[in-house]
Amino acid sequence: MNSPTRYAEALLTGMLGTFGLNLKYVRAERNSLYYLDESGTEVPVLDLVGGWGSLMLGHNHPEIVAHAKELLDTGVPVHSQFSEHPTADRVGAVLNGILGREFPGAEPYPVIFANSGAEAVEAAVKHCEFDRVLRVKSLFEQVEWNVDAAVRAVGDGSAQLPDDTSLLPGDVPVPTTAEEFGALLGAVAAHNIGLAGTSPVFFALERAFHGKLLGSTQFTFNPTFRAAFASLGLPVTFVPPNDAAALESALAEHRLAALDVEVVDGRVTLVERPFPVVGGLIVEPIQGEGGIHALTPEYAARVREICDAAGCPVIIDEIQTGMGRTGKFFASSHIGLLGDYYLLGKSLGGGIGKTSAMLVRQSRYRPEFELVHSSTFAKDGFTTAIALRTLELLEADGGAAYDLAAERGERVLGVLRELADDYPDVVLDVRGKGLLIGLAFADQSRAASPVIREKAAAGLLVFLIGSYLQLVHRIRTGPTASVPNMLRIEPSIHLTDEEIEQLRTGLTAVCEILRHQDALPLVHPLTGAAGQPRAIQDFRTERQAEAAAPEPADAAAHKVALVSYPLTPDTLRELDPSLADLDDAALLAYVQRSELLKDLPATAPVRYTSPQGASVDLTVYPLLVSQHQLRAYRTTGQTFLIGLDLDRRVRAAKADGHETVGIGFGLGTVSEHGGALRVPGVTVTAGSTLAVGATLAALEQPALARFGDLAGLTVAVVGGGGRVGSALAALSAEYVARIVLVGSGREGSAERLRATEHRIYQDAWTRIAAGGELSGIAAALSAEPLITKWLADGRSGDEPSAAAIAAHLADSYDVNPFVVATDDLAEVRNAHAVLAAHSSPVPVLAEKHLAQGAIVADLSFFGTGAESAIVAGRDDLLYIRGGVLSVAEDTILPRGFNGPLNTGELLAGTAEAIVLALSGAGGTLSEGAITQERVHAIIDLAQQHGFEAIST
């Protein structure tokens, strides 16, 4: 939390830091990136990300670097817009030569340059629409000419009026006069004008990725990238890849026809003309971000037939697959798919320049497009020269680079296929062609290891695997954008045998880890722990049954969610036993590094059945925050950040159909005990009412046993100004003689203590005015002259009286005999029972604060055990864990989420959520002031449903 402020993609950089991937690289060459370790020594990392496919020739290819230096040293103009660009023409010539070689007989393709792949996509879409609009214009001009010819023919008697109007929408009669013929032509015009405003329809394939700019993101299938911007872009219809029938059907659904007239055999006749509504179809020959899926030659042939018949141009996106990466310059040439448009980018810049290109079939090209489309940085002198040199290197020696890409890729694929054979339980599939390769891992969302399982369910397993490969094996890999279980491999053609073996070693270790469900090797590099982790061990049998257990087939009567407790080292070890060898510091370091992973997946529901017969399904929504981090948030006044996380988790629970949400210990005080979480339709509780009731119930019998009677006792409440502390004080005041309220001394503390003190006085006066037997502070106050006068005067019990009582006591006594409000812990020394209900991030009580034989009931900030150390050396003290309940069933919560409790125990936050759902009480018992009536009601309901207060 003390890291420097970042301004460039701070969230993304933080996420990378979660997995230790936020290294600062200082040098690069071929397939290696270098960073400096703590001693300043360069550490090489095998880079298999390859600039997301931009490094076909590797990092800083020496000939490209030398050419770039030469260009800059000789002062070649970078920007000379509105002039000849012979280098750009030469790039176009080379690309056309390659097209003609891989697609014999292909017509010329003019080139439009852009700055990135996504911009090339947008340029192609823009050109498609420009061409479509001009085709619509041409169609309407043709219709206008034909209408004029028909009118003249009818006028001079060379043609008869139409005798069939069935093509017109509505009931348009067959014309018998010139006026009626004019009306018919008006209907034709109205029909066509209605078509003119039709939005174009573009097609793309499911799993497609074509960029993230405003226009290109509409063609990217993954809704994560597209959904928020759908209203801003063109309508795009996605069709399944390799399904020609689906494409043909989709095109047919959007077929429209304009109406025209022509003279046939001496009669004016209505005819239909295809109306250009389809903008185009964009495809990747191999879907990279979509999971390395290739189109088939059979599909490619049908695409060409179907699109030609429909007048639909085909855009081939070769931004990632092109430039020889698959063994040919155009991946589409493997399947014989000739496009009307080609898009190139990434490696076109040779790993240095930022450039892309759109090629358009000559017969479709609209030269005037150059007047309505331009880019300041596209086609500049530097990047086009770099692109030309890159093409020359790729084409050298008869295209040896393409053969090398095919050979190196097949070598990598062979290694991965061997792994798939050896680890069929771990490797789901190996796909790819040339140096565009994907390794798909088997689903781990029900893995035995909770760490592995949760990362898989959150779509982050490949990031964790990538972290391990980079930090342990010095291999840099990447995910695909839309397939969370796939590792993408896109090195340059300079990949060596030694580097391939390095990859084999790293992936073999990954397969061993996943097979044996041992999370320690994955986590260890992220903890800062010294040395190497122990050898991989087998943790499958210990947790496999739990992980594989099916969810109940029948739905419970109620659904309850719990936002989980702060993580501690012990809960992590319980959650995943493979982490047992890590010490507390290492585990906390791992949690702190993982802080940005806000929305880990919910756990599988656990069924609880009440003795009454009703049942609930309890689901935990983890909030990845440790005690250390909560303390830091409180210290820096940033608890609102936890509130934002809590709100998001509660809303997620509501979306999943949960009616009641419990807030785990330590989280109530940062969310106003759930009151700050205003989510309509959901009851949110931190368990405060049940915590107060369970604590007082647990305290009663030990106090009677130790002191014989409650009437003469002094009770101190540390944190007496808080919601829980105030309730404990007010309810204790009904039975004991004196209350000591202790605050923190921070701003506002005195006012909060005063409010609690006044609540005690007001409650006492209400009881006194009501008559009947009195106890506690009310009994003592009833003898005060002010009170006797009020009784004589008939003062109402509802009348506000606390301030007057406080003033009377201040005037009458040097030391208040009933309620003391202070920030001095020394006052606690006089108390028979001390209730710790503070929200301090650290324990505040010491042995010197406690009287001989005192009872300590602990409800402090981090749950049970926060103040337990003070009784370790004092046999005379009795320690009670406040807010803890027993339950007959042992496994209400998933492993690792029950905090420091014993088997068969539950904290009030969880128990109250279950009780509220089972009883239907909702907010009537969890919201507002904690009163005696509400406490009795929730305790009674808890007992009915199997929960009992614990006094030890």
Side-chain angles (χ1 to χ4, degrees), residues 53 95 113 281 328-329 501 614 632 668 689 705 798 826 943:
L95 291 174
F113 287 92
L281 165 70
K328 290 188 176 183
F329 188 92
E501 287 307 306
T689 306
D798 295 333
Q943 291 173 342

Side-chain angles (χ1 to χ4, degrees), residues 400-489:
Y402 313 139
D403 296 335
L404 187 56
E407 186 274 328
R408 294 284 82 187
E410 194 56 40
R411 182 73 177 268
V412 174
L413 286 166
V415 167
L416 300 185
R417 288 167 184 148
E418 290 174 10
L419 283 174
D421 291 340
D422 293 341
Y423 297 94
D425 53 324
V426 174
V427 179
L428 179 66
D429 198 7
V430 174
R431 297 192 289 269
K433 194 169 188 63
L435 291 171
L436 180 58
I437 298 169
L439 172 67
F441 292 100
D443 179 30
Q444 298 287 334
S445 61
R446 296 187 70 82
S449 163
V451 168
I452 294 173
R453 181 170 69 241
E454 289 177 4
K455 291 296 188 296
L460 296 171
L461 180 60
V462 168
F463 286 89
L464 187 61
I465 291 172
S467 166
Y468 169 76
L469 288 172
Q470 178 159 310
L471 298 178
V472 176
H473 294 276
R474 302 289 183 252
I475 300 171
R476 186 170 184 256
T477 59
T480 60
S482 302
V483 183
N485 66 326
M486 173 162 280
L487 205 65
R488 180 167 57 172
I489 300 171

Side-chain angles (χ1 to χ4, degrees), residues 706-888:
R706 180 159 291 207
F707 303 114
D709 186 12
L710 302 181
L713 299 186
T714 295
V715 170
V717 181
V718 182
R723 183 170 190 261
V724 170
S726 177
L728 287 169
L731 272 58
S732 298
E734 296 188 22
Y735 306 100
V736 303
R738 190 166 183 261
I739 299 291
V740 177
L741 303 173
V742 184
S744 63
R746 295 192 299 268
E747 182 180 0
S749 174
E751 288 76 10
R752 289 190 292 272
L753 291 180
R754 187 177 303 112
T756 301
E757 180 184 2
H758 286 190
R759 174 182 175 181
I760 293 172
Y761 295 150
Q762 187 67 50
D763 289 349
W765 165 243
T766 301
R767 292 173 58 206
I768 293 169
E773 186 175 351
L774 297 174
S775 61
I777 289 177
L781 273 177
S782 65
E784 289 295 316
L786 177 68
I787 302 301
T788 57
K789 180 178 184 303
W790 284 355
L791 289 172
D793 293 343
R795 184 185 179 95
S796 170
D798 295 333
E799 189 170 345
S801 305
I805 294 175
H808 163 76
L809 296 176
D811 291 339
S812 303
Y813 300 94
D814 293 333
V815 177
N816 191 319
F818 308 112
V819 181
V820 175
T822 180
D823 59 8
D824 185 0
L825 283 168
E827 292 289 343
V828 175
R829 181 72 184 180
N830 299 316
H832 300 87
V834 180
L835 308 183
H838 59 77
S839 59
S840 169
V842 294
V844 301
L845 292 173
E847 288 187 42
K848 66 180 181 179
H849 298 134
L850 301 175
Q852 185 71 22
I855 300 174
V856 179
D858 188 4
L859 286 89
S860 49
F861 183 57
F862 289 118
T864 59
E867 298 285 3
S868 59
I870 57 174
V871 300
R874 294 272 302 271
D875 294 338
D876 63 297
L877 300 177
L878 176 62
Y879 181 83
I880 293 174
R881 295 174 299 146
V884 182
L885 296 103
S886 67
V887 60

